Amino acid sequence: MRSHCFLMIGVCIACLLSAGCMTTGIDEISYEEHAFHITIDESMLPEEVIVQIIIFSMQGFHQVEEDLIIQTMSIQPGTDTLTIPHTLEEGTYKFHLFVFTEEKRIAGRIFRLTLEGE
C-alpha cells in the first residue's frame, strides 16, 4: 500500500513538471518609428525563426483584421531584438504575435496599442 502512495506521488510530480509548454521568452514588444521591435530571450533556438503578426484595428467593441505579416528572421543566441518595418495609421490596434520554428510555435503574445498623431 505504501509503495502505491510513493508511485502516485511520483506520477503527480512528473505530470506537474511536464505540464504546460516550454516557451521562448518574449521580453518586450514595442512599436516605434514605423516598425515593431520584439525582444526575444532564448539561447536554444535555431538561427532562423518565423514571426507572424496579425493586426486588428479596434472599432468600438469590434475588431477588424487589417493586415498579416509573416517574416523569416535570423536571430542570435541569447537576447536578440527583431525589427519588422510596418507603417500604422493613428488608431487603436490589437496584435496577435507568434514566433515559430519549422516544427512548432515557440512563443505567442496578444497585445494592444493606441497610436496618436504626432
Side-chain angles (χ1 to χ4, degrees), residues 3-5 9 13 15 18-19 24 35 41 51 63 75 80 84 90 106 110-111:
S3 62
H4 291 294
C5 287
I9 290 171
I13 290 172
C15 288
S18 64
T24 298
D41 184 18
V51 177
Q63 62 185 24
I75 62 170
D80 197 9
I84 300 175
E90 190 176 314
I106 57 172
I110 298 173
F111 63 104

Side-chain angles (χ1 to χ4, degrees), residues 7-8 10 12 14 28 30 32-34 40 58 60 64 71 88 92-93 110:
L7 179 61
M8 289 302 291
C12 288
E28 186 176 325
S30 63
E32 298 172 356
E33 300 177 6
H34 304 288
I40 295 179
M58 303 303 293
V64 177
Q71 191 166 349
L88 293 172
T92 300
Y93 297 92
I110 298 173

Side-chain angles (χ1 to χ4, degrees):
M1 181 71 170
R2 187 172 216 174
S3 62
H4 291 294
C5 287
F6 287 121
L7 179 61
M8 289 302 291
I9 290 171
V11 169
C12 288
I13 290 172
C15 288
L16 288 173
L17 292 175
S18 64
C21 57
M22 305 272 295
T23 61
T24 298
I26 297 176
D27 289 341
E28 186 176 325
I29 304 167
S30 63
Y31 180 83
E32 298 172 356
E33 300 177 6
H34 304 288
F36 292 98
H37 304 280
I38 305 157
T39 304
I40 295 179
D41 184 18
E42 179 60 64
S43 60
M44 301 302 291
L45 290 176
E47 292 179 3
E48 284 190 344
V49 294
I50 300 165
V51 177
Q52 174 182 316
I53 304 173
I54 305 169
I55 303 170
F56 297 92
S57 65
M58 303 303 293
Q59 300 170 358
F61 291 110
H62 301 287
Q63 62 185 24
V64 177
E65 186 172 338
E66 293 287 326
D67 209 349
L68 171 66
I69 302 169
I70 299 175
Q71 191 166 349
T72 301
M73 313 229 23
S74 297
I75 62 170
Q76 301 295 319
T79 302
D80 197 9
T81 300
L82 309 176
T83 300
I84 300 175
H86 190 79
T87 301
L88 293 172
E89 300 295 323
E90 190 176 314
T92 300
Y93 297 92
K94 182 177 176 182
F95 306 93
H96 293 220
L97 167 68
F98 302 101
V99 179
F100 298 91
T101 63
E102 288 183 7
E103 298 86 28
K104 62 181 179 174
R105 185 183 92 171
I106 57 172
R109 174 96 54 96
I110 298 173
F111 63 104
R112 292 177 73 122
L113 174 67
T114 298
L115 297 175
E116 298 178 6
E118 298 178 10

